[in-house]
């Protein structure tokens, strides 16, 4: 069983930055594909960023150029650097993991409990 725990959310002003972290345990981190999703009130879950075991990445058009996903295998941690935040980025952000590369599709087996990001204009 894989356990995921997000951290780093908070409230910021538009134009500022946040860095989210996702700590994983319960299985070999290096063989997991990882992704970040978000869900705002009244909206469907949206895939934000994906990173494969080979380091390849994919981003949603809405965040491309502003967000960067990365992984550090030495401490089993996934990161999401979020720059130039705007109020449309306000959502609960979730870390997801699986052994299959679902990219930005919401079919991952393991999910964290989420961390709230609020951006004020």
């Amino acid at each position: 069983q894989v356990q995921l725990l997000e951290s780093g959310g908070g409230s910021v002003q538009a134009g500022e930055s946040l860095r989210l972290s996702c700590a994983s345990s319960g299985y070999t981190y290096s063989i997991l594909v990882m992704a970040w999703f978000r869900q705002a009130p009244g909206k469907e879950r949206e895939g934000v960023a994906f990173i494969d075991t080979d380091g390849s990445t994919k981003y949603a058009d809405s965040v491309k150029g502003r967000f960067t996903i990365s992984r550090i295998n030495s401490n089993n941690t996934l990161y999401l650097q979020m720059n130039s935040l705007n109020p449309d980025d306000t959502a609960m952000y979730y870390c997801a993991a699986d052994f299959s590369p679902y990219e930005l599709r919401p079919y991952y087996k393991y999910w964290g409990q989420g961390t709230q990001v609020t951006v004020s204009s």
Side-chain angles (χ1 to χ4, degrees):
Q1 194 72 27
V2 175
Q3 294 84 42
L4 304 173
L5 180 62
E6 303 95 336
S7 62
S11 298
V12 298
Q13 298 293 313
E16 297 183 344
S17 300
L18 280 175
R19 189 185 191 190
L20 305 183
S21 299
C22 174
S24 64
S25 62
Y27 208 83
T28 304
Y29 173 80
S30 62
I31 67 173
L32 291 170
V33 296
M34 307 289 291
W36 287 99
F37 288 77
R38 67 185 182 185
Q39 187 166 20
K43 296 185 178 181
E44 296 295 319
R45 188 184 306 166
E46 175 189 19
V48 175
F50 160 84
I51 186 166
D52 207 340
T53 55
D54 64 357
S56 62
T57 59
K58 185 176 179 64
Y59 297 91
D61 290 341
S62 59
V63 307
K64 191 173 184 179
R66 299 188 297 121
F67 291 10
T68 302
I69 187 172
S70 61
R71 60 193 298 168
I72 304 296
N73 289 346
S74 61
N75 60 2
N76 296 346
T77 303
L78 176 75
Y79 299 99
L80 183 68
Q81 179 66 45
M82 305 185 295
N83 298 327
S84 301
L85 287 164
N86 61 67
D88 290 336
D89 296 316
T90 296
M92 183 72 74
Y93 283 72
Y94 299 91
C95 175
D98 211 320
F99 304 103
S100 299
Y102 295 120
E103 297 184 344
L104 301 181
R105 295 169 292 172
Y107 306 131
Y108 289 80
K109 183 176 182 179
Y110 304 103
W111 296 84
Q113 295 180 330
T115 184
Q116 179 67 41
V117 172
T118 302
V119 185
S120 301
S121 61

